[in-house]
Amino acid sequence: FFLVLGGGQLGVAASYAFFPFALLMWIQLLKSPSFRKAIGTGVAFGLLVALDLRIAYLCMLAFVLYGALVPRTFLSCIKYIAASLAVAASLHLYWLLPAAIAGPFPLPQSATGVGSLSFFSVADFSHALTLLHPNWPENLFGRVYFQQPEFLLLPLLAFSSLPFIRKRELLFFPLLGLVGVFFGKGVNPPAGGIYEFLFNYIPGFVMFRDPTKFYLFIALGYSILIPLTLDRVIRGPLAGLQGVPLRKFAVGLFILLELFLFRDVFLGKTTHSFQFSPLPREYGLLKEVLKADNQFSRVLWLPEVPHFAYFDDLHPFVDAQHALGVSSPSAIIARLQEPVAREILAERNIGYLVVPTDEGRRMFLDDYVYDESQRKLIIDGLKVSSFMKMGDFSDITVFRNPYSQDLFTGTGGMPIQWQSTSANRYNIVVPSATKFIDMHLSFDPGWRLRAGSEEVKPVPSTEGWTRFDVTGEMNKGTVYFVPDRAARMGAIISGILLVLYCVFLSKRRVWKS
């Protein structure tokens, strides 16, 4: 949670915080099923989906695991569970309807390949068991820190409660913790092949390239088991002490333990978001330059996109890895100095090349230590290239590529006149000699070209753009995104339903258990 919050992923952090409440709503639905409570559970789960779909997926996995301990109750409540899922789905029609219309969209190999899964499986069994994130405390991906023995106190305290558990439903929490430990290590031993199998064949599991999301299971399990242990100690070995506020004493000791375990937060060794970061002046200046440029072009940030980067519909940003296939400063310069570099960037509509300042000291690293010389290496390499340096900047370094192609081009790179009427609709003029039109956006089957009564579906070009094959009879046309109308309609319907659900719940007091 500290690492996610410190990295600025506030939506993920909020989903972590909301996860226990959403799971509790599901469990209460099994204990006292009704359609009134099903609506409340559906609204809560719909909010969790809005915060982070991956955490909502984990919530359902945890709920199914709980249901396996009470199978008869779970099966008898299937209709209420289905009603809750329907309510949650009705709040997300703004993306479910467009997704249904657009059809399946293939994910890149980098997101679904087993190689990436091995790369992101940074935690081993000991890290997961002790709830110690392998990147703690500096949050530098790839830098795995040694096991800290003091964290062994957490599983020791948690699983010491096992001999005292009498209710079957309480077995859910040690089971949930163990499942989190097993999956949190990813493909690492023991039995890492099971995670790989689930990643390849279970729908939705592909979202968990980063297995440490399963740490959420460990945290929730331990958060119940540790108080059970403390309570048992108070009622058992320490019960004979007189005049001592045992419960306050035990809770105080545990709070001190937590402060000690996470001392790096208070010693300033972690990144955090609890400070104001004013916008550097030149990032604002670059924003004004881009807003004044009415031609479509991408902004290539080298080596990666900083937090302060501006973008809009005419000037989307891209990093070195996606534009050039490399990320290290030396490889970036080698690629930009190739004879075909200018043509490659022109075809990819790169109009600006920007080397950012690295306020967080996280981009230009040598053995995980900030190295200003790597930033200077990229700047010096660009200075001897064919790109034009813009003199208005001294902190960030900005180069202009005058050879960038426009958003729409015809056969042989022929320029196409176009005008944007919205973010997803363009009016174009089709020259008579054009056989095809390339829209320089990654191929998406949802785009259409309409000219009169004729509608043309796109095909992927050899470069991966969205291409429309046209006839000589076309003159003017409109390029539009088919799922856009469904998204607007779905948003209206979901908004109306949300208001109705909230009015119903406020009158029925469903939230109170």
Side-chain angles (χ1 to χ4, degrees):
F1 182 87
F2 281 128
L3 293 180
V4 167
L5 190 62
Q9 298 174 285
L10 300 184
V12 181
S15 67
Y16 281 12
F18 194 69
F19 168 83
F21 175 75
L23 180 58
L24 178 62
M25 291 292 292
W26 281 114
I27 294 174
Q28 289 180 344
L29 180 63
L30 292 187
K31 291 185 175 182
S32 55
S34 69
F35 283 109
R36 296 175 183 176
K37 185 158 289 189
I39 293 177
T41 303
V43 172
F45 185 67
L47 177 57
L48 184 60
V49 172
L51 291 172
D52 196 295
L53 181 60
R54 297 166 298 179
I55 306 306
Y57 188 97
L58 291 180
C59 183
M60 287 308 300
L61 286 181
F63 177 57
V64 171
L65 184 63
Y66 181 88
L69 296 176
V70 287
R72 292 184 179 180
T73 303
F74 186 84
L75 293 176
S76 66
C77 294
I78 287 296
K79 60 181 179 181
Y80 301 106
I81 297 172
S84 294
L85 293 175
V87 168
S90 69
L91 299 178
H92 291 273
L93 297 178
Y94 61 90
W95 64 269
L96 289 176
L97 288 180
I101 293 174
F105 189 84
L107 294 173
Q109 181 65 24
S110 60
T112 60
V114 177
S116 66
L117 180 60
S118 302
F119 178 72
F120 283 99
S121 295
V122 292
D124 56 24
F125 182 83
S126 62
H127 280 95
L129 180 65
T130 57
L131 196 61
L132 176 61
H133 197 287
N135 300 140
W136 179 264
E138 292 184 312
N139 198 18
L140 296 175
F141 183 80
R143 183 171 185 173
V144 178
Y145 290 80
F146 292 114
Q147 178 66 48
Q148 300 180 31
E150 59 268 28
F151 276 80
L152 290 169
L153 291 172
L154 292 180
L156 180 62
L157 286 172
F159 292 109
S160 293
S161 64
L162 289 179
F164 314 117
I165 293 179
R166 297 291 182 263
K167 295 181 180 180
R168 176 188 296 184
E169 63 179 13
L170 287 180
L171 291 174
F172 167 69
F173 295 102
L175 182 60
L176 183 69
L178 290 175
V179 169
V181 170
F182 183 79
F183 286 149
K185 64 181 180 54
V187 297
N188 292 322
I194 295 178
Y195 195 96
E196 182 177 330
F197 174 84
L198 296 175
F199 185 84
N200 287 326
Y201 297 105
I202 299 300
F205 220 84
V206 71
M207 293 188 293
F208 301 102
R209 285 190 309 166
D210 177 9
T212 56
K213 291 291 184 293
F214 283 96
Y215 270 44
L216 194 57
F217 284 5
I218 311 171
L220 182 59
Y222 287 6
S223 70
I224 302 298
L225 295 177
I226 290 176
L228 287 177
T229 300
L230 297 178
D231 184 70
R232 185 63 184 183
V233 170
I234 292 171
R235 295 173 183 272
L238 301 181
L241 297 178
Q242 300 294 328
V244 179
L246 297 178
R247 191 174 300 276
K248 294 181 180 178
F249 180 71
V251 171
L253 284 179
F254 184 73
I255 291 177
L256 290 177
L257 172 62
E258 291 292 285
L259 293 176
F260 174 68
L261 293 180
F262 301 108
R263 59 192 180 277
D264 291 320
V265 175
F266 312 104
L267 295 177
K269 295 182 179 180
T270 62
T271 57
H272 58 87
S273 299
F274 301 106
Q275 62 181 3
F276 291 103
S277 299
L279 176 69
R281 184 188 67 86
E282 292 194 355
Y283 285 92
L285 178 60
L286 178 60
K287 172 185 174 180
E288 297 305 319
V289 171
L290 295 177
K291 290 177 66 175
D293 184 359
N294 296 322
Q295 297 297 316
F296 178 85
S297 62
R298 289 182 171 85
V299 181
L300 173 58
W301 291 89
L302 303 170
E304 58 185 85
V305 181
H307 290 299
F308 296 113
Y310 170 79
F311 70 96
D312 55 29
D313 294 332
L314 284 178
H315 302 288
F317 54 55
V318 64
D319 60 21
Q321 183 62 49
H322 288 87
L324 305 175
V326 294
S327 57
S328 68
S330 57
I332 289 172
I333 293 304
R335 184 61 56 88
L336 290 177
Q337 291 179 348
E338 292 178 356
V340 295
R342 192 174 72 180
E343 289 75 12
I344 291 176
L345 294 186
E347 291 176 355
R348 297 177 182 177
N349 315 98
I350 304 297
Y352 297 86
L353 297 89
V354 187
V355 183
T357 52
D358 191 1
E359 289 81 5
R361 299 294 191 263
R362 306 185 69 82
M363 296 184 193
F364 304 100
L365 303 179
D366 182 13
D367 195 22
Y368 303 104
V369 177
Y370 178 76
D371 184 3
E372 176 66 22
S373 65
Q374 297 202 30
R375 180 174 183 270
K376 189 175 183 298
L377 177 65
I378 298 179
I379 296 174
D380 291 343
L382 287 172
K383 286 181 179 179
V384 298
S385 66
S386 58
F387 307 111
M388 299 185 305
K389 187 176 186 300
M390 300 181 66
D392 296 332
F393 301 89
S394 57
D395 295 331
I396 63 174
T397 307
V398 183
F399 288 81
R400 190 76 170 91
N401 177 23
Y403 310 103
S404 174
Q405 294 185 4
D406 207 350
L407 177 60
F408 292 94
T409 57
T411 307
M414 179 188 305
I416 300 293
Q417 296 182 30
W418 62 277
Q419 182 180 14
S420 173
T421 58
S422 70
N424 294 312
R425 182 175 291 268
Y426 306 90
N427 294 328
I428 64 173
V429 177
V430 184
S432 58
T434 301
K435 296 182 180 179
F436 62 81
I437 293 176
D438 279 342
M439 182 182 185
H440 290 253
L441 297 177
S442 298
F443 173 73
D444 191 310
W447 289 101
R448 296 290 186 274
L449 168 61
R450 179 177 292 278
S453 60
E454 185 176 356
E455 185 178 77
V456 180
K457 295 183 178 180
V459 295
S461 69
T462 54
E463 298 84 7
W465 306 128
T466 300
R467 171 172 292 182
F468 301 97
D469 294 323
V470 299
T471 63
E473 301 175 358
M474 291 186 178
N475 184 14
K476 294 183 179 181
T478 301
V479 177
Y480 62 97
F481 194 57
V482 174
D484 185 53
R485 180 180 299 178
R488 293 196 300 268
M489 183 180 301
I492 294 173
I493 297 174
S494 293
I496 294 174
L497 289 175
L498 177 60
V499 172
L500 294 177
Y501 292 149
C502 291
V503 171
F504 176 81
L505 294 175
S506 64
K507 291 184 177 181
R508 298 291 184 174
R509 298 170 64 89
V510 177
W511 300 101
K512 185 176 180 180
S513 62

